[in-house]
Amino acid sequence: MIDPRLITLRVFARCGTIGATAELTGYSPSAVSAQLRELQRVLGMQLLTKDGRGLRLTATGRFLVAGSDPLIAQWENLRAAAMDAGDQVQSRFGLGGFSSAAAQLLAPLAATLRSTRPLLEVQVLEAEPARCFDLLIAERIDLAVIVAMQSDSYGEDDPRFEQRVLLDDPLDVIIPGDHPLASRQTATLEELASEPWITEAAGSTYHSLFTAAFTAVGVTPRIAHEAVEWETHIAFVGAGLGVGLLPRLAPLHGAENVVRLRITGQTKPTRRIVAAVRRGSIASPLIQESLGILQVNANRILTDRLNEDL
Amino acid sequence: MIDPRLITLRVFARCGTIGATAELTGYSPSAVSAQLRELQRVLGMQLLTKDGRGLRLTATGRFLVAGSDPLIAQWENLRAAAMDAGDQVQSRFGLGGFSSAAAQLLAPLAATLRSTRPLLEVQVLEAEPARCFDLLIAERIDLAVIVAMQSDSYGEDDPRFEQRVLLDDPLDVIIPGDHPLASRQTATLEELASEPWITEAAGSTYHSLFTAAFTAVGVTPRIAHEAVEWETHIAFVGAGLGVGLLPRLAPLHGAENVVRLRITGQTKPTRRIVAAVRRGSIASPLIQESLGILQVNANRILTDRLNEDL
DNA sequence: ATCAATCATGCATCTATTCTGCATGGTTAT
DNA sequence: ATAACCATGCAGAATAGATGCATGATTGAT
């Protein structure tokens, strides 16, 4: 109910270029350019200035974008309250999440919603956590399941979002089947300090998680290889190239020559998985139901693990 | 920046029929019907129900309309603050007011704005006070000069508007030139109690003002004739048909056989003239400047009167 | 210094939305 | 029973909006 051109401006404020805004919103660059020009005309404000080969927000533009945060939140709030009060049904619902969350949490959620609300059109997008936030801003999705990143620019108290912790997913270590420790059930990071490690490229989502785990125990690992997909990580380990960290949620499903060990010791590295929505929308019955389903699934995963560990 | 369809819904909430909404917003009835249908589809809410040959808001609809008040106010607020912070210029500015205000206050305001802000497109609409509020809701105008009506549904604390008192305009009495009191400067309402009175039709803007003036002194006037325009009032008085009340702001400009007398006594009836804007927009530099100009003009009128009275 | 890459924007074209005007069906009042 | 009123649907028209490519400007690399 907020003018889509203002939404576009907010997306631009996030990514800084017309092209990226177009990619994120689903418009063409020309359309974004025209929209922002029109927005300035209608409001009678100069929101953008040329800056080199790109554009930059003016002070007025930054002011407007920052001030629109509570406006969006209030609209979401009103919408949610009206849906709740009137017992109305939503037509479209967009979900976003990163790979293992998409598989383990989002897929069951979408399936459940499809049965409880047959008229609802559910769309699931697999995307990196940072992109999930952008997609929330762009209103392409309404709920995201992501890994909480303290290093990220989206803090707990960001005025644009509200977040709920779903579960803490521990990191395991995966080692080749012919490794001396392969017969063990658990290992400590110190024991594996001298191993060649496999990680993601610096700057990626999990790299900071990786380094954080090791700095916590005062060890600097030797990074031997880099991989993006967990599949690749596992394959590298199976080929005996080194050892790696693997979140418990990521399945090993019968990989050759790979063993998963629980990490013990004073620090057990985990990644925190949270659900994020646009601020104000959390009271919506659909969001509430979804969060409930997610929480049930998360709890089931946790209790399954407890039973496994016995 | 709020979706125009929501604005249309708010206007509908005021007037209750598609036709009236169309008239007020400037759309055709079909367009209004289509907009509201589309709004319900997009939001996934049922906002309207059939009620006899017309439509009625559902509980959800009323909830949404009521909840949109602060949303609109917040947007106006943001817009005003951004305009103020960025020293930006507005392109369009709509003014509304009733006849004597339009002549005495709005016309000078529009003239001043045209000279101080040549790029600004100023539009003045003459309209009854109640309609001015509707036009504010419909966003056809941005500022209205109206007579404060305690009887009206638009109170001082309406969440949709903010109001500023401009001046209290006293009511004079006009009598025929051959009337026994015509040589006097002042008169009391009691002295004129038995005269045949000329007023507006019951239910009109000034009728309540008229009766309030007399109930305050405990007199029930005999209503002999009714007229809509001040011009007609004056002509009736000039023809010797009776006496009437005339606001000081309404000019007599040399009418034949009509004398204007100040009212004295314990109660001096006045009408309060206020400026009204959409809540939140009052901080806008353009609104601020306009209110300043209006106030200056109002004060000038008051001091002119003081000098006249000496 | 040249070349390539990146970025925003304008224009022509097309598409989709949205509005209008009139006709229709249902509802109330005379 | 007739007339007035109200909302809505449809066909046509107008308008807004999006696309895709070409252009100009700027930056960084060779």
Side-chain angles (χ1 to χ4, degrees):
Chain A
M1 217 35 35
I2 307 293
D3 194 299
R5 293 169 295 192
L6 184 60
I7 306 296
T8 304
L9 181 72
R10 288 167 56 82
V11 175
F12 176 86
R14 279 297 318 152
C15 40
T17 76
I18 298 282
T21 307
E23 193 277 328
L24 209 56
T25 53
Y27 292 114
S28 69
S30 322
V32 172
S33 180
Q35 278 193 16
L36 295 181
R37 182 154 25 95
E38 187 62 11
L39 183 65
Q40 297 182 82
R41 200 193 60 78
V42 169
L43 294 181
M45 303 180 191
Q46 192 182 344
L47 304 171
L48 303 164
T49 3
K50 282 201 179 53
D51 180 34
R53 61 183 159 186
L55 291 179
R56 191 168 34 94
L57 281 178
T58 64
T60 310
R62 280 192 301 276
F63 185 93
L64 189 68
V65 169
S68 66
D69 285 340
L71 190 73
I72 304 283
Q74 186 158 5
W75 163 247
E76 293 288 352
N77 216 345
L78 174 58
R79 175 185 164 84
M83 294 297 264
D84 199 27
D87 196 32
Q88 308 276 349
V89 287
Q90 205 160 324
S91 63
R92 219 199 69 89
F93 194 46
L95 305 172
F98 58 98
S99 53
S100 28
Q104 304 273 351
L105 291 167
L106 251 37
L109 171 59
T112 308
L113 286 177
R114 222 193 320 261
S115 68
T116 61
R117 308 203 181 205
L119 295 174
L120 187 67
E121 190 183 320
V122 182
Q123 186 187 20
V124 185
L125 260 73
E126 182 180 336
E128 288 290 298
R131 187 176 165 84
C132 279
F133 282 115
D134 289 345
L135 288 169
L136 279 173
I137 295 177
E139 307 202 344
R140 291 275 296 278
I141 61 174
D142 305 299
L143 187 150
V145 175
I146 49 118
V147 180
M149 304 292 286
Q150 64 278 29
S151 65
D152 209 338
S153 55
Y154 301 99
E156 275 284 335
D157 53 351
D158 190 296
R160 292 168 294 188
F161 311 111
E162 269 171 304
Q163 305 185 17
R164 289 278 182 280
V165 175
L166 289 177
L167 79 154
D168 285 322
D169 192 35
L171 297 178
D172 296 329
V173 65
I174 50 175
I175 61 176
D178 51 8
H179 191 278
L181 297 177
S183 58
R184 298 258 298 271
Q185 295 286 325
T186 64
T188 64
L189 287 182
E190 288 90 340
E191 288 176 307
L192 295 159
S194 60
E195 298 286 333
W197 280 90
I198 298 159
T199 181
E200 283 199 334
S204 73
T205 312
Y206 291 113
H207 190 80
S208 55
L209 216 63
F210 183 87
T211 53
F214 282 96
T215 51
V217 293
V219 171
T220 32
R222 182 164 62 87
I223 292 168
H225 308 283
E226 294 181 354
V228 177
E229 301 291 324
W230 295 127
E231 283 296 325
T232 324
H233 278 250
I234 295 167
F236 281 8
V237 171
L241 297 177
V243 301
L245 293 178
L246 186 72
R248 188 80 46 90
L249 265 185
L252 207 54
H253 39 58
E256 292 286 320
N257 196 37
V258 178
V259 178
R260 181 200 288 258
L261 269 55
R262 305 289 159 93
I263 296 175
T264 55
Q266 67 267 46
T267 54
K268 298 191 184 70
T270 61
R271 55 176 195 176
R272 172 156 289 186
I273 294 178
V274 303
V277 298
R278 276 187 297 280
R279 189 170 290 269
S281 71
I282 202 154
S284 155
L286 186 49
I287 299 275
Q288 281 295 314
E289 181 180 340
S290 300
L291 288 178
I293 295 169
L294 285 174
Q295 195 63 65
V296 165
N297 267 315
N299 291 340
R300 193 180 45 72
I301 289 172
L302 289 176
T303 55
D304 284 358
R305 282 180 188 164
L306 276 178
N307 294 336
E308 254 177 47
D309 288 357
L310 294 181
Chain B
M1 214 38 35
I2 307 294
D3 193 299
R5 292 168 297 190
L6 184 60
I7 306 296
T8 303
L9 181 71
R10 288 167 56 83
V11 176
F12 176 87
R14 279 298 317 152
C15 39
T17 76
I18 298 281
T21 308
E23 192 277 329
L24 208 57
T25 53
Y27 290 114
S28 70
S30 325
V32 172
S33 180
Q35 277 191 18
L36 295 180
R37 183 154 24 95
E38 188 62 12
L39 182 65
Q40 297 182 81
R41 200 193 59 77
V42 169
L43 294 181
M45 304 179 190
Q46 191 182 345
L47 303 171
L48 303 164
T49 4
K50 281 199 178 54
D51 180 33
R53 60 183 162 187
L55 290 179
R56 190 169 35 92
L57 281 178
T58 64
T60 310
R62 281 192 301 277
F63 185 93
L64 190 68
V65 169
S68 68
D69 285 340
L71 189 73
I72 304 282
Q74 187 157 4
W75 161 246
E76 293 289 350
N77 214 344
L78 174 57
R79 175 184 163 84
M83 293 298 264
D84 199 28
D87 196 32
Q88 308 276 348
V89 287
Q90 206 160 325
S91 63
R92 218 198 70 88
F93 194 46
L95 305 172
F98 57 98
S99 53
S100 29
Q104 303 274 350
L105 290 167
L106 252 37
L109 170 60
T112 308
L113 287 177
R114 220 190 326 257
S115 68
T116 61
R117 308 205 180 204
L119 295 174
L120 187 67
E121 188 183 323
V122 181
Q123 185 187 21
V124 185
L125 259 74
E126 182 180 336
E128 288 291 298
R131 187 177 165 82
C132 280
F133 282 114
D134 290 344
L135 288 169
L136 280 173
I137 294 177
E139 309 203 342
R140 292 275 295 278
I141 62 173
D142 305 298
L143 188 151
V145 175
I146 48 118
V147 179
M149 305 292 286
Q150 64 279 31
S151 65
D152 209 338
S153 55
Y154 301 98
E156 275 283 336
D157 52 350
D158 190 296
R160 293 167 293 190
F161 311 111
E162 269 171 304
Q163 306 184 17
R164 290 276 182 279
V165 174
L166 289 178
L167 77 153
D168 286 321
D169 191 34
L171 297 177
D172 295 329
V173 65
I174 49 176
I175 60 176
D178 50 9
H179 192 276
L181 298 177
S183 57
R184 299 255 301 270
Q185 294 288 323
T186 64
T188 65
L189 286 182
E190 289 89 340
E191 287 177 306
L192 295 159
S194 59
E195 299 285 336
W197 280 90
I198 297 160
T199 179
E200 283 199 334
S204 74
T205 312
Y206 293 112
H207 190 81
S208 55
L209 214 64
F210 182 86
T211 53
F214 283 97
T215 53
V217 292
V219 171
T220 30
R222 182 165 61 88
I223 292 169
H225 308 282
E226 293 181 354
V228 176
E229 301 291 323
W230 296 127
E231 282 296 324
T232 324
H233 279 250
I234 296 167
F236 281 9
V237 172
L241 297 177
V243 300
L245 293 178
L246 186 72
R248 188 78 47 88
L249 264 184
L252 207 55
H253 38 58
E256 292 286 319
N257 194 38
V258 178
V259 179
R260 181 199 289 256
L261 268 56
R262 304 289 159 95
I263 295 175
T264 55
Q266 67 265 46
T267 53
K268 299 191 184 72
T270 61
R271 56 174 194 176
R272 172 155 289 184
I273 294 178
V274 303
V277 298
R278 275 187 299 280
R279 189 169 290 271
S281 72
I282 202 154
S284 154
L286 185 49
I287 299 276
Q288 280 295 314
E289 182 180 340
S290 299
L291 288 178
I293 295 169
L294 284 174
Q295 195 64 64
V296 165
N297 267 316
N299 291 340
R300 194 180 44 73
I301 289 171
L302 288 176
T303 54
D304 284 359
R305 283 179 188 165
L306 277 178
N307 293 336
E308 253 176 49
D309 287 356
L310 294 180

